[in-house]
Amino acid sequence: MQAWLDQLIREHGWLQAVPAGLVYTIAIVLACKLVLVFVSVIAGETVWLERRVAGRMQARIGPNRVGPQGLLQFVADGVKLLAKEDIIPASADKIVFLLAPIIVFAGAFVAFAVLPWGFGLVPADMNIGLFVILSLTSIEVVGVIMAGWASNSKWAVLGAMREVAQMISYELPLGISALAVVILAGTLNLTDIVVQQEGAIWNWYVFRGPFAFIAFFIFATAALASLKRAPFDLPEAESELVAGFHTEYTGFRFAVFFLAEYAGMILFAVLASVLFLGGWSPGFPVDLTGPGMRWVGFGILFAKTLFLLFVMIWVRWSLPRFRVDRVMYLCYKVLLPASVVCVVGAALQVLLGASMGDGGFAAWLMGR
Amino acid sequence: MSTNGRSTALTPSEAEPAHELHERQLLVGRDLRTEEMVLNIGPQHPATHGVLRVVIKTDGEIVRALQPHVGNLHRCAEKIGESVPYYQWVPYVDRMDYLAAMCNEHVACMAIEQLGDIQIPERAEYIRVIVAEVQRILSHLMAIGVYGLDLGAFTPFLHQFRERERGMDLLDHISGGRLLYHYVRIGGVKRDLSRDWLDELDAFLAAVEKRLPEYNLLLMENRIFQERTCGIGVIDRDTAVRWGVTGPGLRAAGVDWDLRRDAPYSVYDRFDFDVPHGESGIAGVLGDCFQRHWIRAKEVEQSVRIVRQALAQMPEGPVMANLPKSFRPAAGEVYVRGENPRGELACYFVSEGKDTAYRCRCRGPSYSNIAVITEVAEGVLIADLVALIGSMDIVLGEVDR
Amino acid sequence: MRTYLKDVWHGISSTAKGMVLTGRHFFTKPTTIEYPDPGEQTYFSPYERGLHEFEPEKCIVCHLCAKACPVDCITIEDGGKAADGSKILTRYEIDYAKCLFCSLCIDPCPVDCIHMGQQYDLAAFDREGGVRIDFTKGEGPWRTAKTSADPDAGLAPHLARIAARKKKGGEA
């Protein structure tokens, strides 16, 4: 991004009168705003996708009246939620109550600044990109506790307690399975991770050995649990605790929680695509680094994200809900040991020189 | 048991539960004081199958004491039974267990006919069995789907609506109503079945048989469902008998008892069918939530079997007996019971020779089925509580009447 | 250890099988149809117990329907006798807040002037106009020539609509 900005300054002379730092700042703010708007719209359309896919899986149609094929449904939902009465429980802790949705929203959206949407299409290309994403999404946990506590309702507190236990626990397999890819790649920089997967489809980390393959599924499951999506949706278990930690939120504050959940879905779908499924590379060798071609790469990454979103929705509507102790069992006794095995295996792979791309793993297997 | 002049021995709802704990449990650390939380579930709640209010004392996630508060749907059905003529009371019976309306009507009309010594034509008996078993299929499909919904599996809930819709269209076609039929009348049934209807019934039975394995795949064979229901909410034989649990709850406890086979009414003694009951061979523990669910799925298959036999055996003839213009049964009393999808529904009538009953009393199975959770729910997690209440498959219309 | 691995495998395989089923449903035509537009009328059954259809010209004001009603929701008033000795019906009101839709009022009518129809929708903009329907004032649902002998009279256009919808698709 910085190189592109420098080129822009060189081309337009009047920009050179402005201090470079200011240009960078304004550019980054604009880029982040663009990403924010884009992600919000896509989160809204993910709601549409979820409801249509859920409908078809349940032998019914799903919303198709508002706008063409129902695509404007999220606008109608947003307007409806905006028009609702803003109720704050009398006994609620007001400041914390009002801050909680903001913190959850921030935790979900801030991480998008580091996600590469194409070569160079990233607002802030950080060398520790993956680490930043994983730590920023942990902010949501604080927001959830605040929401549950401030609501001053037993149901909300129960939901918040369950949610905290779940989210914090699942960050372990999430991070460790991502670590397997980091070990194979040798870098935390997301753009570099994708660049290393360019070329044939066997370069994708998911195919580079059994450990990364299993790590992909561990990452996906842990991401679902971190997002509080079914089958791990006890915090919002409608049939048990009404709505869990956001029971007492109405109107637009509820919409903020809702949006944060879907934005988180998109985040992890893009992240999984970037880490495991080759990012913006289509599976055959093609140069997508040029200023025009990188938008083609964006499209490819978007398609992969859509596919992963579809799988997330598919899983939600096929399975019952886990109970809280089974969620913990799954995390600590199934996913965590498996992810540690994946990391150790990936490290062994690198040690034995079998992590190279271009079919390197296959070559190593065949003894060459 | 002394009743203190009341009609039942049950304590009024304001009284403290007898098993309330008086000690502070769980002093984990020396200075850590933990309190039990009193939670109120309902009466408006997505998981209580109606307007049921349950007050629980929980210790974190574990339920220590539980008391259901019923009566939110009381509509004085029995009092009305004592105020209007018999034939005008039959529409009210539909509304008690509104998911098994034909079965309710069947039992009530049998009771009134026994009171008035009326013989109904044989074809009417067969038609009653057919619609009662179709209704049983619909009710069990609903129970299966809603149980999935309680546990978070949203999809089978909507799939079962597809089969239920066909069945409801069938029953709508002959009676005029989708849920509340007023089809089984005193003296027989309202109207005969047409050839088209019987063909559509065959198609419906085939569709149900085809789809039942799908529900089992999404629910009973699913690992998460099994983890949520196996070993949860075990109602053993003694508890079930002591609390008067009937229906799938009783059979899951291992008691091989079905009124259709063991105390046959109508023409049920002419059919050959199995009575699924809890066994230790299938997944789960005897008397747990999984076995109750499994029994309902198996009973659907048996109901299909009964309907097919009834269709083969049904004779031609009238479907309504000739009733006197004014129906005044002789003085006496009668107690008739039938096997509803939820258990044993019984009607008790006392007649003084007038056209209105002197005493009308219905024994709804869901009342006992929900009372048993007072004893069984101690020590379960809150998430299991929902699984437990859902597995009892109660309908509040029947609990409260 | 073996049971542990077996359990994990069972979890994965049952999940996968369930997902295959829902995936199959995703590619199947849905069984639901679009909600019918306000003008269209759905047809349920010849004996459907919807809102009443009453023919005041035929009524002989015998009160048998009002006596048969379990909830006493029918109010009948007559205004004296006409020249040929028959009673004049001045008010025939059904209180739909009480009506059970049980159809006990249909059976005793000696002149076949009351039936139950296909309509079920009593939506109105004010409480008075929506609950107590006075058939003598022209209120109430559409009237047809339906009689007990010919329950499908006047329903041909609706049956045609249902047949067309069935043909268009969906597991109607």
Side-chain angles (χ1 to χ4, degrees):
Chain A
M1 175 110 166
Q2 185 162 9
W4 179 69
L5 280 173
D6 287 336
Q7 188 192 356
L8 208 65
I9 293 176
R10 272 196 302 276
E11 284 177 13
H12 302 271
W14 59 272
L15 275 175
Q16 285 163 5
V18 184
L22 190 61
V23 176
Y24 291 154
T25 312
I26 295 180
I28 288 188
V29 167
L30 280 177
C32 288
K33 269 190 145 59
L34 184 69
V35 169
L36 194 74
V37 167
F38 173 68
V39 171
S40 302
V41 170
I42 298 302
E45 292 307 333
T46 309
V47 178
W48 171 85
L49 183 74
E50 161 131 50
R51 291 170 69 171
R52 287 301 294 262
V53 167
R56 290 304 296 262
M57 288 183 178
Q58 293 164 351
R60 58 185 180 88
I61 301 175
N64 63 347
R65 293 235 175 181
V66 188
Q69 287 298 317
L71 282 169
L72 295 178
Q73 180 74 39
F74 79 99
V75 175
D77 284 340
V79 169
K80 176 201 79 170
L81 284 168
L82 266 173
K84 280 199 189 280
E85 182 187 353
D86 187 23
I87 303 176
I88 303 178
S91 52
D93 190 338
K94 207 153 179 217
I95 300 178
V96 179
F97 189 84
L98 296 175
L99 264 182
I102 299 174
I103 292 186
V104 173
F105 186 84
F109 275 82
V110 148
F112 278 99
V114 191
L115 268 186
W117 291 94
F119 186 82
L121 294 176
V122 46
D125 194 9
M126 299 179 74
N127 266 334
I128 49 166
L130 180 62
F131 182 67
V132 164
I133 291 184
L134 290 177
S135 31
L136 286 175
T137 49
S138 311
I139 295 178
E140 280 187 66
V141 177
V142 177
V144 168
I145 307 174
M146 289 169 65
W149 181 260
S151 302
N152 203 13
S153 143
K154 285 169 185 162
W155 292 111
V157 164
L158 261 182
M161 274 164 37
R162 285 171 161 180
E163 160 62 10
V164 161
Q166 183 180 309
M167 269 180 128
I168 292 182
S169 308
Y170 275 90
E171 279 170 20
L172 287 167
L174 191 74
I176 296 179
S177 53
L179 200 60
V181 167
V182 168
I183 289 179
L184 288 176
T187 169
L188 281 166
N189 186 326
L190 290 171
T191 311
D192 287 345
I193 290 180
V194 177
V195 160
Q196 290 190 18
Q197 295 180 75
E198 277 173 358
I201 199 171
W202 304 112
N203 277 350
W204 292 5
Y205 280 117
V206 72
F207 296 123
R208 281 209 210 180
F211 300 107
F213 185 73
I214 298 178
F216 172 57
F217 291 100
I218 298 175
F219 186 84
T221 313
L224 275 181
S226 174
L227 291 166
K228 318 178 274 294
R229 293 274 303 174
F232 303 101
D233 60 346
L234 333 99
E236 13 177 274
E238 284 158 8
S239 37
E240 292 171 28
L241 295 177
V242 186
F245 63 92
H246 52 71
T247 312
E248 300 291 340
Y249 283 87
T250 57
F252 205 65
R253 298 184 211 285
F254 176 76
V256 166
F257 278 118
F258 204 58
L259 212 59
E261 173 178 335
Y262 284 93
M265 268 175 80
I266 300 170
L267 175 74
F268 280 109
V270 174
L271 194 59
S273 310
V274 157
L275 284 178
F276 293 95
L277 294 182
W280 58 76
S281 96
F284 46 85
V286 68
D287 181 21
L288 290 170
T289 55
M293 289 303 284
R294 58 184 65 170
W295 292 101
V296 174
F298 167 75
I300 294 171
L301 179 58
F302 193 67
K304 292 180 189 172
T305 308
L306 270 183
F307 170 70
L308 283 181
L309 285 173
F310 173 75
V311 171
M312 283 190 197
I313 295 170
W314 192 4
V315 168
R316 174 180 185 183
W317 298 102
S318 310
L319 298 174
R321 200 176 289 129
F322 276 106
R323 209 178 54 193
V324 62
D325 60 330
R326 301 308 297 176
V327 167
M328 291 298 126
Y329 174 88
L330 188 72
C331 173
Y332 286 109
K333 294 205 176 165
V334 179
L335 291 184
L336 192 58
S339 59
V340 167
V341 164
C342 287
V343 159
V344 169
L348 277 175
Q349 225 181 308
V350 168
L351 206 61
L352 298 173
S355 77
M356 297 303 123
D358 295 320
F361 184 67
W364 177 84
L365 270 181
M366 290 187 278
R368 266 192 275 125
Chain B
M1 240 194 294
S2 112
T3 55
N4 298 326
R6 298 169 48 82
S7 58
T8 63
L10 293 171
T11 53
S13 59
E14 319 72 81
E16 288 286 82
H19 45 269
E20 183 191 6
L21 297 170
H22 293 290
E23 46 178 304
R24 289 251 180 265
Q25 262 176 256
L26 276 214
L27 281 178
V28 177
R30 187 167 318 182
D31 297 310
L32 191 67
R33 195 190 77 163
T34 62
E35 281 183 13
E36 289 176 345
M37 203 159 63
V38 175
L39 267 177
N40 178 52
I41 306 181
Q44 290 136 335
H45 190 89
T48 55
H49 290 241
V51 277
L52 173 70
R53 181 176 171 220
V54 179
V55 177
I56 52 178
K57 271 199 177 127
T58 71
D59 170 20
E61 273 280 321
I62 306 175
V63 174
R64 291 290 171 211
L66 177 149
Q67 182 158 55
H69 293 243
V70 298
N72 291 298
L73 198 49
H74 180 66
R75 294 156 295 172
C76 312
E78 294 170 358
K79 180 67 183 171
I80 290 174
E82 297 159 18
S83 320
V84 298
Y86 293 95
Y87 77 98
Q88 285 188 5
W89 183 67
V90 175
Y92 284 94
V93 184
D94 277 336
R95 285 139 170 94
M96 292 194 322
D97 179 359
Y98 37 80
L99 292 177
M102 287 287 193
C103 304
N104 291 7
E105 289 175 4
H106 192 183
V107 174
C109 290
M110 271 198 312
I112 299 171
E113 283 150 13
Q114 201 174 323
L115 192 65
D117 213 9
I118 299 172
Q119 296 299 326
I120 71 167
E122 205 174 323
R123 188 173 171 87
E125 294 275 21
Y126 277 93
I127 294 179
R128 282 183 178 183
V129 166
I130 290 173
V131 293
E133 293 305 313
V134 168
Q135 181 73 80
R136 192 181 310 268
I137 294 172
L138 296 180
S139 173
H140 280 329
L141 281 178
M142 178 65 132
I144 291 170
V146 165
Y147 196 46
L149 184 69
D150 282 344
L151 296 182
F154 305 97
T155 311
F157 176 62
L158 285 138
H159 288 171
Q160 55 97 6
F161 272 130
R162 181 185 46 205
E163 271 64 67
R164 249 181 81 86
E165 193 64 27
R166 287 187 83 149
M168 283 207 286
D169 276 348
L170 268 179
L171 296 177
D172 183 16
H173 197 84
I174 44 162
S175 69
R178 279 159 59 90
L179 201 68
L180 306 167
Y181 310 108
H182 196 210
Y183 175 68
V184 179
R185 310 266 179 122
I186 307 170
V189 295
K190 171 73 179 163
R191 55 182 69 88
D192 204 346
L193 310 172
S194 67
R195 185 71 251 161
D196 287 338
W197 193 89
L198 294 169
D199 292 336
E200 181 58 36
L201 178 65
D202 284 327
F204 167 69
L205 294 174
V208 166
E209 278 188 320
K210 194 179 95 157
R211 295 289 189 185
L212 202 57
E214 282 184 13
Y215 302 132
N216 295 344
L217 184 72
L218 279 175
L219 289 174
M220 285 203 295
E221 295 174 25
N222 188 293
R223 172 106 198 139
I224 305 175
F225 181 85
Q226 287 180 2
E227 284 179 358
R228 289 291 299 264
T229 55
C230 290
I232 308 294
V234 175
I235 300 177
D236 62 349
R237 193 194 178 104
D238 290 326
T239 316
V241 170
R242 195 161 23 98
W243 284 86
V245 174
T246 50
L250 180 68
R251 289 194 276 281
V255 181
D256 187 9
W257 176 258
D258 186 327
L259 284 175
R260 294 174 293 168
R261 185 198 57 191
D262 300 319
Y265 53 97
S266 187
V267 289
Y268 275 108
D269 49 356
R270 304 183 196 179
F271 303 123
D272 174 36
F273 58 98
D274 299 326
V275 171
H277 54 276
E279 297 157 20
S280 19
I282 38 174
V285 172
L286 201 67
D288 67 1
C289 297
F290 182 86
Q291 298 227 340
R292 285 191 278 276
H293 182 97
W294 175 81
I295 284 176
R296 287 193 187 99
K298 282 269 168 281
E299 281 187 4
V300 172
E301 296 169 15
Q302 296 305 315
S303 288
V304 170
R305 216 171 131 190
I306 295 175
V307 175
R308 290 212 168 109
Q309 290 174 46
L311 284 174
Q313 293 178 21
M314 187 161 66
E316 299 297 327
V319 293
M320 181 61 107
N322 285 327
L323 293 175
K325 231 174 169 15
S326 170
F327 174 64
R328 286 168 208 275
E333 61 180 28
V334 68
Y335 184 87
V336 167
R337 50 194 191 150
E339 184 77 20
N340 263 23
R342 284 167 182 84
E344 176 185 311
L345 173 73
C347 282
Y348 172 66
F349 278 100
V350 174
S351 160
E352 279 186 328
K354 305 206 182 80
D355 62 350
T356 312
Y358 173 74
R359 172 73 176 127
C360 161
R361 157 95 178 121
C362 295
R363 184 254 183 217
S366 299
Y367 188 81
S368 315
N369 289 356
I370 198 64
V372 74
I373 65 170
T374 324
E375 181 171 319
V376 173
E378 279 178 66
V380 301
L381 301 179
I382 296 184
D384 292 336
L385 189 66
V386 172
L388 173 59
I389 296 179
S391 78
M392 299 313 295
D393 187 24
I394 54 166
V395 166
L396 264 300
E398 196 171 56
V399 175
D400 299 334
R401 292 180 293 279
Chain C
M1 186 64 184
R2 266 183 68 196
T3 40
Y4 169 80
L5 288 174
K6 208 160 64 103
D7 286 344
V8 170
W9 175 246
H10 182 215
I12 298 174
S13 65
S14 62
T15 304
K17 280 195 233 165
M19 283 177 69
V20 163
L21 180 71
T22 41
R24 235 190 21 235
H25 270 102
F26 178 71
F27 293 105
T28 325
K29 206 170 167 48
T31 43
T32 54
I33 56 173
E34 291 279 344
Y35 193 81
D37 288 323
E40 289 179 26
Q41 184 64 267
T42 337
Y43 174 77
F44 298 100
S45 108
Y47 317 110
E48 181 69 16
R49 290 172 299 150
L51 297 168
H52 296 83
E53 290 162 16
F54 177 69
E55 299 160 78
E57 317 82 47
K58 282 190 183 174
C59 178
I60 58 170
V61 199
C62 64
H63 292 264
L64 280 177
C65 53
K67 285 194 206 132
C69 178
V71 289
D72 295 330
C73 69
I74 302 182
T75 313
I76 304 176
E77 281 173 11
D78 68 83
K81 286 200 158 59
D84 58 353
S86 62
K87 295 194 215 162
I88 303 172
L89 180 70
T90 54
R91 188 162 94 132
Y92 190 94
E93 190 183 78
I94 296 184
D95 186 350
Y96 281 104
K98 296 184 185 163
C99 177
L100 286 183
F101 294 89
C102 64
S103 79
L104 278 173
C105 51
I106 312 298
D107 306 321
C109 181
V111 293
D112 233 8
C113 69
I114 183 166
H115 316 278
M116 296 196 85
Q118 303 291 320
Q119 264 212 358
Y120 50 85
D121 186 8
L122 254 188
F125 282 102
D126 61 83
R127 202 167 286 187
E128 283 313 309
V131 175
R132 276 186 284 272
I133 305 282
D134 190 347
F135 287 81
T136 51
K137 291 190 178 53
E139 298 168 11
W142 39 271
R143 296 158 52 182
T144 68
K146 177 177 173 170
T147 61
S148 306
D150 182 16
D152 283 345
L155 285 168
H158 306 294
L159 293 173
R161 248 198 292 271
I162 298 299
R165 189 181 296 143
K166 260 199 182 135
K167 228 168 33 143
K168 236 184 356 185
E171 232 183 68

